[in-house]
Amino acid sequence: MSSNPQTKSYPDIVMIPNEDLDHNAHTVFRHYREKVPFIKSPIGVPFVLRANDVLNLASNRFTRQVETEFLRIRNVTEGPLYEFVRNSMLFSNDTTHRHRRGPMTPAFAFKMIAEIRPQIRALADKILREGYADGQMDFLQTYASSIPARTIAAIFGIPDSDISRFTRSIYTIAKAIGASWSAKDLPEIDQAVVDMHNYVEELLADRRRNPRNDFLSEYIGIVERQGVLTSFEAITQIITIVLGGSDTTRMAMAMQVCLLLEHPEQWNAIVEDRGLIPNAVLESLRFEPSVASIPRFTVEDIEIDGHFIPKDQPIALSTMSAMRDAAIYPAGDTFDIRRTHPKWHLVFGSGAHRCIGEALAKAELEEGLAALVEIMPSLRLVGPRPIASGFAGIRSVTDMTVEW
């Protein structure tokens, strides 16, 4: 990898139609990963395909975190979504990023997450035992959506009665953090941002009037003592955390159970040995990640293997491609819960922007799976297989029914 001036001729980056990427991303990535280091989507964003390149570009001097650039190339330069992105820690750098992320850190420390694991498991057990007599379940809505939403609500001190209100908005906002949205979706996304902003503003105002022994009260205290964040920024970070802790985890939970049930010998291995659960979670996140790419912005010219990306260019580091690259994962297209994984799982990002909710997501996925294999060891899929879609940012998954 090198940073070079544009003094020689470079081949054009291959452009792949959105429909091919939407429906056959793994096949497309596998085909081109062996031939070129980048491909391009129709909106002009290069996708970096190879694991070592993704790892290098995620945390070196050639790139920074993308800010509003992905919106600008879609001609979105104002409005609620634009202001959300402009004020979010997810899309900021350096001191601004540290100031926005800092007040969130206490809620997601490993010790804190370890303390709430029993609550996550109790919630999972309760959902399964309450519905056990039915013999069948809408897995995505009843289980995979409920556990992360109710857990984040418990951390923030949000009443269960409000969960449907904030999840409806969050799932809509999540569309904008993926690739499969267009101008016609913008009014709905903007309205969801406004609704979520107003809701969080109400929550924080309540904590100012009536402080409690919960994270939101602590967060308000930290923000006001530091005096760095605006009120708008303080609200935006809460929305960012709810976004990151809801939609991604529900997709991951659905796909990990789907993958295990499609490989019954591996499901049965977990039923017999619960010690395999943490690695099964890591393998599911690798094989069908809920976050398909890491957005970055080039600050220098980049040349890899005779292919060129200029500076000042939004790019996508394809974790979805990298996590099936044989350079790091031999037989990457094989699902294997006994696979050895690197210490730092790529689905959670890298460097200063590594997912703040990593420990929480792992706890939810592990405890949710542990409850299933204990209470419903004979679980099986019914009807159409759930389909994971999307090739950039947050992915989505279709409905999934199970029976026992």
Side-chain angles (χ1 to χ4, degrees):
M1 184 182 299
S2 62
S3 175
N4 291 335
Q6 299 184 54
T7 56
K8 58 183 180 179
S9 177
Y10 295 92
D12 290 337
I13 302 176
V14 178
M15 196 277 286
I16 309 298
N18 266 356
E19 53 268 28
D20 290 349
L21 288 167
D22 269 328
H23 300 295
N24 302 292
H26 284 302
T27 301
V28 170
F29 292 153
R30 179 172 59 251
H31 174 77
Y32 284 100
R33 193 167 55 232
E34 298 175 358
K35 301 176 183 300
V36 292
F38 328 115
I39 58 173
K40 186 187 295 184
S41 74
I43 63 172
V45 176
F47 279 69
V48 179
L49 301 178
R50 297 170 182 167
N52 287 322
D53 296 334
V54 167
L55 288 167
N56 287 336
L57 290 173
S59 55
N60 70 15
R61 65 184 176 85
F62 293 90
T63 71
R64 63 162 169 79
Q65 173 66 339
V66 70
E67 294 178 357
T68 58
E69 292 85 5
F70 272 97
L71 290 181
R72 289 179 177 276
I73 63 176
R74 291 176 178 269
N75 296 315
V76 178
T77 58
E78 61 181 2
L81 175 61
Y82 183 83
E83 290 303 317
F84 166 71
V85 169
R86 193 170 71 87
N87 285 277
S88 171
M89 63 178 170
L90 187 60
F91 302 103
S92 56
N93 288 281
D94 303 325
T95 302
T96 300
H97 174 253
R98 289 193 294 274
H99 285 160
R100 290 172 176 174
R101 181 174 171 127
M104 288 291 174
T105 304
F108 297 94
F110 282 88
K111 180 176 182 295
M112 182 79 168
I113 300 307
E115 291 173 354
I116 68 170
R117 264 187 183 264
Q119 298 176 44
I120 298 171
R121 179 55 184 275
L123 169 61
D125 285 352
K126 182 174 184 289
I127 294 170
L128 296 180
R129 296 192 188 282
E130 285 179 348
Y132 190 84
D134 297 336
Q136 191 176 92
M137 176 170 60
D138 178 337
F139 187 84
L140 186 65
Q141 298 305 321
T142 302
Y143 198 69
S145 297
S146 185
I147 290 175
R150 290 170 70 175
T151 300
I152 202 77
I155 291 173
F156 285 174
I158 298 171
D160 281 358
S161 58
D162 285 0
I163 288 175
S164 62
R165 177 180 176 185
F166 77 72
T167 53
R168 186 166 54 249
S169 297
I170 284 297
Y171 296 157
T172 301
I173 298 169
K175 294 178 185 178
I177 315 299
S180 301
W181 67 282
S182 62
K184 66 180 176 58
D185 301 308
L186 187 58
E188 180 188 23
I189 295 170
D190 274 344
Q191 186 59 54
V193 173
V194 171
D195 292 344
M196 194 66 193
H197 182 96
N198 291 340
Y199 175 66
V200 174
E201 188 173 35
E202 291 171 14
L203 286 176
L204 297 185
D206 175 71
R207 295 310 191 275
R208 287 189 182 94
R209 292 190 302 267
N210 307 295
R212 306 179 193 174
N213 184 27
D214 65 10
F215 172 72
L216 287 183
S217 298
E218 181 182 2
Y219 174 74
I220 284 295
I222 294 172
V223 168
E224 293 184 345
R225 284 194 302 275
Q226 292 179 343
V228 175
L229 300 186
T230 66
S231 175
F232 195 97
E233 284 178 296
I235 292 167
T236 300
Q237 306 330 307
I238 297 293
I239 299 174
T240 300
I241 288 292
V242 177
L243 174 63
S246 300
D247 207 36
T248 55
T249 308
R250 77 166 183 154
M251 188 275 188
M253 190 169 292
M255 287 314 302
Q256 78 175 11
V257 171
C258 172
L259 289 166
L260 288 165
L261 294 178
E262 289 183 325
H263 296 80
E265 73 288 353
Q266 300 192 52
W267 172 268
N268 291 334
I270 292 174
V271 171
E272 295 298 322
D273 180 4
R274 312 299 162 75
L276 292 171
I277 287 176
N279 216 59
V281 168
L282 297 179
E283 177 66 353
S284 300
L285 288 169
R286 179 197 73 84
F287 198 78
E288 283 293 2
S290 52
V291 178
S293 64
I294 302 169
R296 302 294 287 173
F297 189 79
T298 61
V299 295
E300 296 189 28
D301 296 337
I302 295 170
E303 179 183 2
I304 301 176
D305 293 346
H307 291 75
F308 178 78
I309 299 177
K311 67 179 294 187
D312 299 329
Q313 166 74 58
I315 63 174
L317 307 183
S318 179
T319 51
M320 191 174 169
S321 173
M323 291 190 296
R324 294 201 183 190
D325 187 346
I328 291 181
Y329 294 101
D333 289 320
T334 299
F335 180 74
D336 180 7
I337 63 171
R338 292 181 172 86
R339 181 188 299 277
T340 299
H341 290 265
K343 180 180 179 181
W344 302 108
H345 200 299
L346 191 54
V347 79
F348 295 108
S350 179
H353 280 85
R354 189 167 181 84
C355 177
I356 195 172
E358 176 180 355
L360 176 62
K362 287 179 177 177
E364 291 170 337
L365 293 169
E366 290 169 9
E367 297 302 329
L369 182 53
L372 280 167
V373 297
E374 178 177 314
I375 297 172
M376 298 174 174
S378 62
L379 198 69
R380 55 192 176 273
L381 289 170
V382 182
R385 179 194 190 276
I387 299 171
S389 61
F391 57 89
I394 296 176
R395 302 174 75 203
S396 60
V397 64
T398 56
D399 289 341
M400 171 178 170
T401 301
V402 294
E403 67 179 12
W404 51 91

